[in-house]
Amino acid sequence: MIALAGLVLITCLTLALPALPRPTLPFGVRVPVERAGDPVVVTERRRYTRAVVAVSLLAVPVLFLTGWAEAVCTAVAVVHLLLFGLAHHRIRAAAQAGAWAAGRRAGLTVDTSFRTDPVRVPWLWGLPAVAVVLLTAAVGWIGGAATLEPVLHQLAVTLLVPLVTIVVLRARPDLDAARPRGSARRYRVYLRGVATMTLLSAACLNLTLFAGALRLWGFVPGTPVWQVATYLPLAALLAGWVIWETRVGQAGHRLPALPGEEQEDSGLGQRDDNRHWHLAGTVYANRRDPALLVHARVSSSSWTLNLGHPVAWVLLGVLAAVLVVGGVLALSGVIDLPEKRGFL
């Protein structure tokens, strides 16, 4: 039953993948606004939806006959991503063959107010995460818990999430060259929402760690009901993000327009930078772009590194070195990896 629920979740997420970005980024391909409803784009959306549903339906009997839950779900996810990449390739080929970007003069929109008056971190929304950490520590101390390892995990989450929020708020805004004023206003509202939801995510993660800590310390029984309850905060977190992203849209493009914004048109088209996006619009590499962090194309509220920036490779190298050194030390017995011991 859990495996079937996982299969349904994978299917829903992959079906939502092309629907969350703005209409001018179908399957991670930049197209002019007048081409957003092109027959090629509409056909690929329908073909992708039908193929994803068909693959998932075919996987159901395989799942029940073999019982290989992880293998089947992984294979379905891989096939879905390959279908997404195929749709990306077809739309990109059509855009190049039809010279879709030749209709308007290309340009970029820069709003310096995001530097002079940046969106502030809504620190008050970080208080629930801190409160859960204090609650966990108090319960563990009063109950005489043998280890406070879950509290350390919560502290790491509580410190890391605000740092990520600050970095995201300082990243280059993704604005529409055709509607500079309206897109800038929407993007500000969008960033405030992203910051708020990110800080609330820390609270949900800490709640899950708190529930896991209660099981680890033996304060609650390890029954299936409590195991399910442990992951309820994560389910609420996922549902909250999906609902919010569906209402707001990528970079806030679904937010209602103010009077006059619908008629705004600078006469420019967004610069065609498809050649700098690789792997179906998921990897960005542009040596001439000074930005280190750019808004992702495929998903809604996410950012990605510019692999054409030297600092990006330094960061990835440091991360790889930490993982390699940690793995070597763990294998040699110098450090001990954390044990599950019923925790989550």
Side-chain angles (χ1 to χ4, degrees), residues 99-164:
W100 288 3
R104 285 188 175 212
R105 186 163 59 94
L108 289 175
T109 296
V110 178
D111 189 341
T112 57
S113 67
F114 282 94
R115 293 297 179 187
T116 59
D117 183 24
V119 176
R120 310 296 178 182
V121 178
W123 293 110
L124 288 178
W125 291 104
L127 293 180
V130 176
V132 176
V133 175
L134 296 177
L135 174 63
T136 307
V139 171
W141 181 72
I142 294 173
T147 175
L148 292 180
E149 179 184 342
V151 179
L152 297 179
H153 294 165
Q154 290 177 328
L155 287 174
V157 170
T158 306
L159 294 175
L160 180 60
V161 168
L163 291 177
V164 173

Side-chain angles (χ1 to χ4, degrees), residues 236-308:
L237 173 62
L238 178 60
W241 271 108
V242 170
I243 294 173
W244 182 81
E245 290 187 354
T246 302
R247 296 183 60 183
V248 176
Q250 186 185 56
H253 76 272
R254 290 197 180 101
L255 291 172
L258 295 180
E261 287 183 351
E262 287 294 342
Q263 291 74 33
E264 182 186 10
D265 189 353
S266 65
L268 296 177
Q270 200 73 11
R271 183 185 62 180
D272 182 12
D273 55 353
N274 288 324
R275 65 185 181 279
H276 299 302
W277 288 89
H278 312 279
L279 295 180
T282 58
V283 177
Y284 181 70
N286 185 1
R287 294 182 179 179
R288 296 183 178 182
D289 190 347
L292 174 62
L293 200 66
V294 296
H295 202 290
R297 279 192 171 186
V298 173
S299 57
S300 180
S301 300
S302 61
W303 282 256
T304 185
L305 288 173
N306 174 14
L307 296 185

Side-chain angles (χ1 to χ4, degrees), residues 55-140:
V55 169
S56 297
L57 291 177
L58 290 175
V60 172
V62 177
L63 182 64
F64 282 105
L65 289 175
T66 62
W68 300 339
E70 294 183 0
V72 172
C73 289
T74 302
V76 169
V78 170
V79 173
H80 287 177
L81 293 178
L82 290 176
L83 291 172
F84 186 93
L86 181 60
H88 169 91
H89 174 74
R90 288 171 175 167
I91 294 177
R92 185 168 178 174
Q96 292 176 344
W100 288 3
R104 285 188 175 212
R105 186 163 59 94
L108 289 175
T109 296
V110 178
D111 189 341
T112 57
S113 67
F114 282 94
R115 293 297 179 187
T116 59
D117 183 24
V119 176
R120 310 296 178 182
V121 178
W123 293 110
L124 288 178
W125 291 104
L127 293 180
V130 176
V132 176
V133 175
L134 296 177
L135 174 63
T136 307
V139 171

